[in-house]
Amino acid sequence: MSDRLTSRQRAHLRSIAHGQDPLVHIGKEGLTDPVREAAAEAFNTRELVTIRVLDNAPRSVRDIAEALAEGIDDVQVVRTIGGTALLYRPHPDNPEIDLPSPGTDDE
C-alpha cells in the first residue's frame, strides 16, 4: 500500500466510517500508554478507528492523531475534524475494505 492515501481513497473511507461512534476517547491525561494500547487493540478487529479528543486534552486532535499513526504500524490519518480523527490500517492478512485504485483521482 502507498504511504499516502489519495483524495478519492480518503473520501471512500470517510463514507464507510460515517456515523461510526468513536472507540477511543482522549481527555486531560492526553496520549497515555493505555490509550495507545486501546487504539492498537481496536485495529485488531477493524480497519477504521474513530478517536475523540476532548476539549481538555493537552494537544490538538491533529497532533494526537499523527502521534497515534506514528506509534502503530501502517496506520494513516484519514481525516481530523473538530475533536474527531479517523485512522485507517488495512488488515495485514485479510483486508475487508477495498480502496479505489490510486490512479482513479483524475476521473
Side-chain angles (χ1 to χ4, degrees), residues 17-74:
H18 182 73
Q20 177 177 314
D21 291 330
L23 292 175
V24 179
H25 294 266
I26 300 170
K28 67 180 179 181
E29 297 297 319
L31 199 53
T32 61
D33 287 338
V35 168
R36 290 177 198 272
E37 291 169 13
E41 183 67 28
F43 280 111
N44 289 335
T45 58
R46 56 183 56 214
E47 294 176 281
L48 284 173
V49 173
T50 303
I51 63 168
R52 175 81 174 121
V53 179
L54 304 177
D55 291 337
N56 60 355
R59 295 167 60 188
S60 73
V61 65
R62 172 59 75 178
D63 289 344
I64 289 174
E66 289 175 357
L68 276 173
E70 290 173 11
I72 304 171
D73 289 340
D74 298 325

Side-chain angles (χ1 to χ4, degrees), residues 5 7 9 12-13 16 24 35 45-46 51 62 68 72 84 86 89-90 96 100-102 105:
L5 295 167
S7 60
Q9 290 170 331
H12 179 71
L13 292 171
I16 293 170
V24 179
V35 168
T45 58
R46 56 183 56 214
I51 63 168
R62 172 59 75 178
L68 276 173
I72 304 171
T84 304
L86 180 62
R89 182 181 77 178
E96 292 181 9
S101 63
D105 268 355

